Amino acid sequence: MDFTPRRTQKGPFEAIYKLIMRRTSVYATFVIAGAFFGERAVDYGVHKLWEYNNVGKRYEDISVLGQRPSEE
């Protein structure tokens, strides 16, 4: 007869999994919030990378000689 020991202590990942998967509303909220914040983080990272790679090449960085600054 095979004896497999049972785990009496649950790990932190299992506790988080059970907390999120317990109800459909909690799971759906977690997915929607994760997608929203993940999209914002990726957008922010790509924007910062683009800015870093294009410093001095953008329209805002071009100075035109002989042109007076606009008065606002």
Side-chain angles (χ1 to χ4, degrees):
M1 182 146 99
D2 293 333
F3 176 73
T4 57
R6 281 209 241 162
R7 293 187 306 164
T8 57
Q9 200 172 26
K10 297 178 181 170
F13 291 116
E14 190 171 350
I16 292 170
Y17 176 80
K18 284 193 176 195
L19 176 71
I20 292 170
M21 297 300 235
R22 182 171 296 171
R23 299 180 59 108
T24 304
S25 60
V26 175
Y27 176 72
T29 303
F30 179 78
V31 168
I32 291 169
F36 177 75
F37 288 114
E39 187 271 336
R40 303 253 320 175
V42 169
D43 186 46
Y44 178 79
V46 169
H47 181 73
K48 286 295 181 184
L49 184 64
W50 190 89
E51 291 285 332
Y52 177 77
N53 286 327
N54 290 299
V55 170
K57 302 173 191 172
R58 300 173 300 170
Y59 179 75
E60 294 90 18
D61 299 331
I62 299 172
S63 63
V64 179
L65 298 176
Q67 189 179 34
R68 294 187 317 176
S70 62
E71 297 176 9
E72 294 180 11

Coordinates of all heavy atoms in Angstrom, one line a residue:
M1 N 0.8 -1.2 0.0 CA 0.0 0.0 0.0 C 0.9 1.2 0.0 O 1.8 1.4 0.8 CB -0.9 0.0 1.2 CG -1.8 1.1 1.2 SD -3.4 0.7 2.0 CE -3.4 1.3 3.6
D2 N 0.6 2.1 -0.9 CA 1.4 3.4 -1.0 C 0.9 4.4 -0.1 O -0.3 4.6 0.1 CB 1.3 3.9 -2.4 CG 2.0 3.1 -3.5 OD1 2.9 2.3 -3.1 OD2 1.6 3.1 -4.6
F3 N 1.8 5.1 0.6 CA 1.5 6.1 1.5 C 2.0 7.4 1.0 O 3.2 7.5 0.8 CB 2.0 5.8 2.9 CG 1.8 6.9 3.9 CD1 0.5 7.1 4.4 CD2 2.8 7.7 4.3 CE1 0.2 8.1 5.3 CE2 2.6 8.8 5.2 CZ 1.3 9.0 5.7
T4 N 1.2 8.4 0.7 CA 1.7 9.7 0.3 C 1.3 10.7 1.4 O 0.2 10.8 1.8 CB 1.0 10.1 -1.0 OG1 -0.4 10.1 -0.9 CG2 1.4 9.2 -2.2
P5 N 2.4 11.4 1.8 CA 2.1 12.3 2.9 C 1.3 13.5 2.5 O 1.4 14.0 1.4 CB 3.5 12.8 3.4 CG 4.4 12.5 2.2 CD 3.7 11.3 1.5
R6 N 0.4 13.9 3.3 CA -0.5 15.1 3.0 C 0.2 16.3 3.5 O 0.8 16.3 4.6 CB -1.8 14.9 3.7 CG -2.8 14.0 3.0 CD -4.2 14.4 3.3 NE -4.9 13.4 4.0 CZ -6.0 13.5 4.7 NH1 -6.5 14.7 4.8 NH2 -6.6 12.5 5.2
R7 N 0.0 17.3 2.7 CA 0.5 18.6 3.2 C -0.5 19.2 4.1 O -1.7 19.4 3.8 CB 0.7 19.6 2.0 CG 1.8 19.2 1.1 CD 2.1 20.2 0.1 NE 0.9 20.6 -0.7 CZ 0.8 21.6 -1.4 NH1 1.8 22.5 -1.5 NH2 -0.3 21.9 -2.0
T8 N -0.1 19.6 5.3 CA -1.0 20.3 6.2 C -0.9 21.8 6.1 O -1.8 22.5 6.5 CB -0.6 19.9 7.7 OG1 0.7 20.2 7.9 CG2 -0.8 18.4 7.9
Q9 N 0.2 22.3 5.6 CA 0.4 23.7 5.5 C 0.3 24.1 4.0 O 0.9 23.6 3.2 CB 1.7 24.1 6.1 CG 1.8 25.5 6.5 CD 3.2 25.8 7.2 OE1 4.1 25.1 7.0 NE2 3.2 26.8 8.0
K10 N -0.5 25.1 3.8 CA -0.7 25.6 2.4 C 0.2 26.8 2.1 O 0.5 27.6 3.0 CB -2.1 26.1 2.2 CG -3.1 24.9 2.3 CD -4.5 25.4 2.2 CE -5.4 24.1 2.4 NZ -6.8 24.5 2.5
G11 N 0.7 26.8 0.9 CA 1.7 27.9 0.5 C 1.0 29.2 0.3 O -0.3 29.3 0.1
P12 N 1.7 30.3 0.1 CA 1.1 31.6 -0.1 C 0.5 31.7 -1.5 O -0.6 32.3 -1.7 CB 2.3 32.5 0.0 CG 3.5 31.7 -0.3 CD 3.2 30.3 0.2
F13 N 1.0 31.0 -2.5 CA 0.4 31.0 -3.8 C -1.0 30.3 -3.8 O -1.9 30.7 -4.5 CB 1.3 30.4 -4.9 CG 2.6 31.2 -5.1 CD1 3.8 30.7 -4.8 CD2 2.5 32.5 -5.6 CE1 4.9 31.4 -5.0 CE2 3.6 33.2 -5.9 CZ 4.8 32.7 -5.6
E14 N -1.1 29.2 -3.1 CA -2.4 28.5 -3.0 C -3.4 29.4 -2.3 O -4.6 29.4 -2.7 CB -2.2 27.2 -2.3 CG -3.4 26.3 -2.4 CD -3.1 24.9 -1.9 OE1 -2.0 24.6 -1.6 OE2 -4.1 24.2 -1.7
A15 N -3.0 30.1 -1.3 CA -3.9 31.0 -0.6 C -4.4 32.2 -1.5 O -5.6 32.5 -1.5 CB -3.2 31.6 0.6
I16 N -3.5 32.7 -2.3 CA -3.8 33.8 -3.2 C -4.8 33.3 -4.3 O -5.8 33.9 -4.7 CB -2.6 34.4 -3.8 CG1 -1.8 35.2 -2.7 CG2 -2.9 35.4 -5.0 CD1 -0.4 35.7 -3.2
Y17 N -4.4 32.1 -4.8 CA -5.3 31.4 -5.8 C -6.7 31.2 -5.3 O -7.7 31.5 -6.0 CB -4.6 30.1 -6.2 CG -5.5 29.3 -7.2 CD1 -5.4 29.6 -8.6 CD2 -6.2 28.2 -6.8 CE1 -6.2 28.9 -9.5 CE2 -7.0 27.5 -7.7 CZ -7.0 27.9 -9.0 OH -7.7 27.2 -9.9
K18 N -6.8 30.7 -4.1 CA -8.1 30.4 -3.6 C -8.9 31.7 -3.3 O -10.1 31.8 -3.5 CB -8.0 29.6 -2.3 CG -7.7 28.2 -2.5 CD -7.9 27.3 -1.3 CE -7.7 25.9 -1.7 NZ -8.2 25.0 -0.7
L19 N -8.2 32.8 -2.9 CA -8.8 34.1 -2.7 C -9.4 34.6 -4.0 O -10.5 35.2 -4.0 CB -7.8 35.1 -2.1 CG -8.3 36.5 -1.8 CD1 -9.3 36.5 -0.7 CD2 -7.2 37.4 -1.6
I20 N -8.6 34.5 -5.0 CA -9.1 35.1 -6.3 C -10.1 34.2 -7.0 O -11.1 34.7 -7.6 CB -7.9 35.3 -7.3 CG1 -6.9 36.4 -6.7 CG2 -8.3 35.6 -8.7 CD1 -5.6 36.5 -7.4
M21 N -10.0 32.9 -6.9 CA -10.9 32.0 -7.7 C -12.1 31.6 -6.9 O -12.9 30.9 -7.4 CB -10.1 30.8 -8.0 CG -9.0 31.0 -9.0 SD -9.5 31.8 -10.5 CE -8.8 30.7 -11.6
R22 N -12.3 32.1 -5.7 CA -13.4 31.7 -4.9 C -14.8 32.1 -5.5 O -15.7 31.3 -5.6 CB -13.3 32.3 -3.5 CG -14.4 31.8 -2.6 CD -14.2 32.3 -1.2 NE -13.0 31.5 -0.7 CZ -12.4 31.8 0.4 NH1 -12.8 32.7 1.2 NH2 -11.3 31.1 0.7
R23 N -14.8 33.3 -6.0 CA -16.1 33.8 -6.6 C -15.8 34.4 -8.0 O -14.8 34.9 -8.3 CB -16.7 34.9 -5.7 CG -17.0 34.4 -4.3 CD -17.6 35.6 -3.5 NE -18.8 36.1 -4.2 CZ -20.0 35.9 -3.7 NH1 -20.2 35.2 -2.6 NH2 -21.0 36.4 -4.3
T24 N -16.8 34.2 -8.9 CA -16.7 34.7 -10.2 C -16.5 36.2 -10.3 O -15.7 36.8 -11.1 CB -17.9 34.3 -11.1 OG1 -18.1 32.9 -11.0 CG2 -17.8 34.8 -12.5
S25 N -17.2 37.0 -9.4 CA -17.1 38.4 -9.4 C -15.7 38.9 -9.0 O -15.2 39.9 -9.6 CB -18.1 39.0 -8.4 OG -17.9 38.6 -7.1
V26 N -15.1 38.2 -8.1 CA -13.7 38.6 -7.7 C -12.7 38.3 -8.8 O -11.9 39.1 -9.1 CB -13.3 37.8 -6.4 CG1 -11.9 38.1 -6.0 CG2 -14.2 38.2 -5.2
Y27 N -12.9 37.1 -9.4 CA -12.1 36.7 -10.6 C -12.2 37.7 -11.7 O -11.2 38.2 -12.3 CB -12.4 35.3 -11.0 CG -11.6 34.9 -12.2 CD1 -10.3 34.6 -12.1 CD2 -12.2 34.7 -13.5 CE1 -9.5 34.1 -13.2 CE2 -11.5 34.3 -14.6 CZ -10.2 34.0 -14.4 OH -9.5 33.6 -15.5
A28 N -13.4 38.1 -12.1 CA -13.6 39.0 -13.2 C -13.0 40.4 -12.9 O -12.4 41.0 -13.7 CB -15.1 39.1 -13.5
T29 N -13.2 40.9 -11.6 CA -12.6 42.1 -11.2 C -11.1 42.1 -11.3 O -10.5 43.0 -11.7 CB -13.1 42.5 -9.8 OG1 -14.5 42.5 -9.8 CG2 -12.5 43.8 -9.3
F30 N -10.5 41.0 -10.8 CA -9.1 40.8 -10.9 C -8.6 40.8 -12.3 O -7.6 41.5 -12.6 CB -8.7 39.5 -10.2 CG -7.2 39.2 -10.2 CD1 -6.4 39.9 -9.3 CD2 -6.7 38.3 -11.1 CE1 -5.0 39.6 -9.3 CE2 -5.3 38.1 -11.1 CZ -4.5 38.7 -10.2
V31 N -9.3 40.2 -13.2 CA -8.8 40.1 -14.6 C -9.0 41.5 -15.3 O -8.0 42.0 -16.0 CB -9.7 39.1 -15.4 CG1 -9.5 39.2 -16.9 CG2 -9.3 37.7 -15.0
I32 N -10.1 42.2 -15.1 CA -10.3 43.5 -15.6 C -9.3 44.5 -15.1 O -8.7 45.3 -15.8 CB -11.7 44.0 -15.4 CG1 -12.7 43.1 -16.3 CG2 -11.9 45.4 -15.8 CD1 -14.1 43.3 -16.0
A33 N -9.1 44.5 -13.8 CA -8.1 45.4 -13.2 C -6.7 45.1 -13.6 O -5.9 46.0 -13.9 CB -8.2 45.4 -11.7
G34 N -6.4 43.8 -13.7 CA -5.0 43.5 -14.2 C -4.8 43.9 -15.6 O -3.7 44.3 -16.0
A35 N -5.8 43.7 -16.5 CA -5.7 44.2 -17.9 C -5.5 45.7 -18.0 O -4.7 46.2 -18.7 CB -6.9 43.7 -18.7
F36 N -6.3 46.4 -17.2 CA -6.2 47.9 -17.2 C -4.8 48.3 -16.8 O -4.1 49.1 -17.5 CB -7.3 48.5 -16.3 CG -7.2 50.0 -16.2 CD1 -7.6 50.8 -17.3 CD2 -6.7 50.6 -15.1 CE1 -7.6 52.1 -17.2 CE2 -6.6 52.0 -15.0 CZ -7.1 52.7 -16.1
F37 N -4.3 47.9 -15.6 CA -3.1 48.3 -15.1 C -1.9 47.8 -15.9 O -0.9 48.4 -16.1 CB -2.9 48.0 -13.6 CG -3.8 48.8 -12.7 CD1 -4.8 48.2 -12.0 CD2 -3.6 50.2 -12.6 CE1 -5.7 49.0 -11.2 CE2 -4.4 50.9 -11.8 CZ -5.5 50.3 -11.1
G38 N -2.0 46.6 -16.4 CA -1.0 46.0 -17.3 C -0.8 46.8 -18.6 O 0.3 47.1 -19.0
E39 N -2.0 47.2 -19.2 CA -1.9 48.0 -20.4 C -1.3 49.4 -20.1 O -0.5 49.9 -20.9 CB -3.3 48.2 -20.9 CG -3.4 48.9 -22.3 CD -3.5 50.4 -22.2 OE1 -4.0 50.9 -21.2 OE2 -3.1 51.0 -23.2
R40 N -1.6 50.0 -19.0 CA -1.0 51.3 -18.6 C 0.5 51.1 -18.4 O 1.2 52.0 -18.8 CB -1.7 51.8 -17.4 CG -3.2 52.0 -17.5 CD -3.7 53.3 -17.6 NE -3.0 54.3 -16.8 CZ -3.3 55.6 -16.8 NH1 -4.2 56.0 -17.6 NH2 -2.6 56.4 -16.1
A41 N 0.9 50.1 -17.8 CA 2.3 49.9 -17.5 C 3.1 49.7 -18.8 O 4.2 50.2 -19.0 CB 2.5 48.7 -16.6
V42 N 2.6 48.9 -19.7 CA 3.2 48.6 -21.0 C 3.2 49.9 -21.8 O 4.3 50.3 -22.4 CB 2.5 47.5 -21.8 CG1 3.0 47.4 -23.2 CG2 2.7 46.2 -21.1
D43 N 2.2 50.7 -21.8 CA 2.1 51.9 -22.6 C 3.1 52.9 -22.0 O 3.8 53.6 -22.8 CB 0.7 52.5 -22.5 CG 0.5 53.8 -23.4 OD1 1.0 53.7 -24.5 OD2 0.0 54.8 -22.9
Y44 N 3.2 53.0 -20.7 CA 4.2 53.9 -20.1 C 5.6 53.5 -20.4 O 6.5 54.3 -20.8 CB 4.0 53.9 -18.6 CG 5.0 54.8 -17.8 CD1 4.8 56.1 -17.8 CD2 6.1 54.2 -17.2 CE1 5.7 56.9 -17.1 CE2 7.0 55.0 -16.5 CZ 6.8 56.4 -16.4 OH 7.7 57.1 -15.8
G45 N 5.9 52.2 -20.4 CA 7.2 51.7 -20.7 C 7.6 51.9 -22.1 O 8.8 52.4 -22.4
V46 N 6.7 51.7 -23.0 CA 7.0 51.9 -24.5 C 7.2 53.4 -24.7 O 8.1 53.7 -25.5 CB 5.9 51.3 -25.3 CG1 6.0 51.7 -26.8 CG2 5.9 49.8 -25.2
H47 N 6.4 54.2 -24.1 CA 6.5 55.7 -24.3 C 7.9 56.2 -23.8 O 8.6 56.9 -24.5 CB 5.4 56.4 -23.6 CG 5.5 57.9 -23.8 ND1 5.1 58.5 -25.0 CD2 5.8 58.9 -23.0 CE1 5.3 59.8 -24.8 NE2 5.7 60.0 -23.6
K48 N 8.3 55.7 -22.6 CA 9.6 56.1 -22.1 C 10.7 55.6 -23.0 O 11.7 56.3 -23.2 CB 9.8 55.6 -20.7 CG 8.9 56.4 -19.7 CD 9.4 57.8 -19.6 CE 8.6 58.6 -18.6 NZ 9.0 60.0 -18.6
L49 N 10.7 54.4 -23.5 CA 11.7 53.9 -24.3 C 11.8 54.6 -25.6 O 12.9 55.0 -26.1 CB 11.4 52.4 -24.6 CG 12.4 51.6 -25.4 CD1 13.8 51.6 -24.7 CD2 11.9 50.2 -25.7
W50 N 10.6 55.0 -26.2 CA 10.6 55.8 -27.5 C 11.2 57.1 -27.2 O 12.0 57.6 -28.0 CB 9.1 55.9 -28.0 CG 9.0 56.5 -29.3 CD1 9.1 55.8 -30.5 CD2 8.9 57.9 -29.7 NE1 9.0 56.7 -31.6 CE2 8.9 58.0 -31.1 CE3 8.9 59.0 -28.9 CZ2 8.8 59.2 -31.7 CZ3 8.8 60.2 -29.6 CH2 8.7 60.3 -31.0
E51 N 10.8 57.8 -26.1 CA 11.4 59.1 -25.8 C 12.9 59.0 -25.6 O 13.7 59.9 -26.1 CB 10.8 59.7 -24.5 CG 9.3 60.1 -24.7 CD 9.2 61.4 -25.4 OE1 10.1 62.2 -25.4 OE2 8.1 61.5 -26.1
Y52 N 13.4 58.0 -25.0 CA 14.8 57.8 -24.7 C 15.6 57.6 -26.0 O 16.7 58.2 -26.2 CB 15.0 56.6 -23.8 CG 16.5 56.3 -23.6 CD1 17.3 57.0 -22.7 CD2 17.1 55.2 -24.2 CE1 18.6 56.7 -22.4 CE2 18.4 54.9 -24.0 CZ 19.2 55.7 -23.1 OH 20.5 55.4 -22.9
N53 N 15.0 56.9 -27.0 CA 15.7 56.6 -28.2 C 15.6 57.8 -29.2 O 16.3 57.8 -30.2 CB 15.1 55.3 -28.9 CG 15.6 54.1 -28.2 OD1 16.7 54.0 -27.7 ND2 14.7 53.1 -28.1
N54 N 14.7 58.7 -29.0 CA 14.5 59.8 -30.0 C 14.7 61.2 -29.5 O 14.2 62.1 -30.0 CB 13.0 59.7 -30.5 CG 12.8 58.5 -31.4 OD1 13.5 58.3 -32.4 ND2 11.9 57.6 -31.0
V55 N 15.5 61.3 -28.4 CA 15.9 62.6 -27.9 C 16.7 63.3 -28.9 O 17.6 62.8 -29.5 CB 16.7 62.4 -26.6 CG1 17.3 63.8 -26.2 CG2 15.8 61.9 -25.5
G56 N 16.3 64.6 -29.2 CA 17.0 65.4 -30.2 C 16.5 65.2 -31.6 O 16.9 65.9 -32.5
K57 N 15.6 64.3 -31.9 CA 15.1 64.0 -33.2 C 13.6 64.4 -33.4 O 13.1 64.3 -34.4 CB 15.2 62.5 -33.5 CG 16.6 61.9 -33.4 CD 16.6 60.4 -33.6 CE 17.9 59.8 -33.2 NZ 17.9 58.4 -33.2
R58 N 13.0 64.8 -32.3 CA 11.6 65.1 -32.3 C 11.4 66.5 -32.9 O 12.3 67.3 -32.9 CB 11.0 65.0 -30.9 CG 11.1 63.6 -30.3 CD 10.7 63.6 -28.9 NE 11.5 64.5 -28.2 CZ 11.3 64.9 -26.9 NH1 10.3 64.5 -26.3 NH2 12.1 65.7 -26.3
Y59 N 10.2 66.8 -33.3 CA 9.8 68.1 -33.8 C 10.0 69.2 -32.7 O 10.5 70.3 -33.0 CB 8.3 68.1 -34.2 CG 7.8 69.4 -34.7 CD1 8.2 69.9 -36.0 CD2 7.0 70.2 -34.0 CE1 7.8 71.1 -36.5 CE2 6.6 71.4 -34.4 CZ 7.0 71.9 -35.7 OH 6.5 73.1 -36.2
E60 N 9.7 68.9 -31.5 CA 9.9 69.8 -30.4 C 11.3 70.2 -30.2 O 11.7 71.2 -29.6 CB 9.3 69.3 -29.1 CG 7.8 69.1 -29.1 CD 7.4 67.7 -29.6 OE1 8.3 66.8 -29.6 OE2 6.3 67.5 -30.0
D61 N 12.3 69.3 -30.5 CA 13.7 69.5 -30.3 C 14.4 70.3 -31.4 O 15.5 70.8 -31.2 CB 14.4 68.2 -30.2 CG 13.9 67.4 -29.0 OD1 13.4 68.0 -28.0 OD2 14.0 66.1 -29.0
I62 N 13.7 70.6 -32.5 CA 14.3 71.3 -33.7 C 14.2 72.8 -33.4 O 13.1 73.3 -33.2 CB 13.6 70.9 -35.0 CG1 13.7 69.4 -35.2 CG2 14.2 71.7 -36.1 CD1 12.9 68.9 -36.4
S63 N 15.3 73.4 -33.5 CA 15.3 74.9 -33.3 C 15.5 75.5 -34.7 O 16.4 75.1 -35.5 CB 16.4 75.4 -32.3 OG 17.6 75.1 -32.9
V64 N 14.7 76.5 -35.0 CA 14.8 77.1 -36.3 C 15.5 78.5 -36.1 O 15.1 79.3 -35.3 CB 13.4 77.4 -36.9 CG1 13.5 78.1 -38.2 CG2 12.6 76.1 -37.0
L65 N 16.6 78.7 -36.8 CA 17.4 79.9 -36.6 C 16.7 81.1 -37.3 O 16.1 80.9 -38.4 CB 18.8 79.7 -37.2 CG 19.6 78.6 -36.6 CD1 20.9 78.5 -37.3 CD2 19.9 78.9 -35.1
G66 N 16.8 82.2 -36.7 CA 16.2 83.4 -37.3 C 14.7 83.6 -37.0 O 14.1 84.5 -37.5
Q67 N 14.1 82.7 -36.3 CA 12.7 82.8 -36.0 C 12.5 83.3 -34.6 O 13.1 82.8 -33.6 CB 12.0 81.4 -36.2 CG 10.5 81.5 -36.1 CD 9.9 80.1 -36.4 OE1 10.5 79.1 -36.0 NE2 8.8 80.1 -37.0
R68 N 11.6 84.3 -34.4 CA 11.4 84.8 -33.1 C 10.5 83.8 -32.3 O 9.6 83.2 -32.9 CB 10.7 86.2 -33.2 CG 11.5 87.2 -33.8 CD 10.9 88.6 -33.7 NE 9.5 88.5 -34.1 CZ 8.7 89.5 -34.0 NH1 9.1 90.7 -33.6 NH2 7.4 89.4 -34.3
P69 N 10.7 83.8 -31.0 CA 9.8 82.9 -30.2 C 8.4 83.5 -30.2 O 8.2 84.7 -30.3 CB 10.4 82.9 -28.8 CG 11.5 83.9 -28.8 CD 11.7 84.4 -30.2
S70 N 7.4 82.6 -30.2 CA 6.0 83.1 -30.2 C 5.7 83.7 -28.9 O 6.1 83.3 -27.9 CB 5.1 81.9 -30.5 OG 5.2 80.9 -29.5
E71 N 4.9 84.8 -29.0 CA 4.4 85.5 -27.8 C 3.0 85.0 -27.5 O 2.1 85.0 -28.3 CB 4.4 87.0 -28.1 CG 5.8 87.6 -28.4 CD 5.7 89.0 -28.8 OE1 4.6 89.6 -28.6 OE2 6.7 89.6 -29.3
E72 N 2.9 84.6 -26.3 CA 1.6 84.1 -25.8 C 1.0 84.9 -24.8 O 1.6 85.5 -24.0 CB 1.8 82.6 -25.3 CG 2.2 81.7 -26.4 CD 2.3 80.3 -25.9 OE1 1.9 80.0 -24.7 OE2 2.9 79.5 -26.6

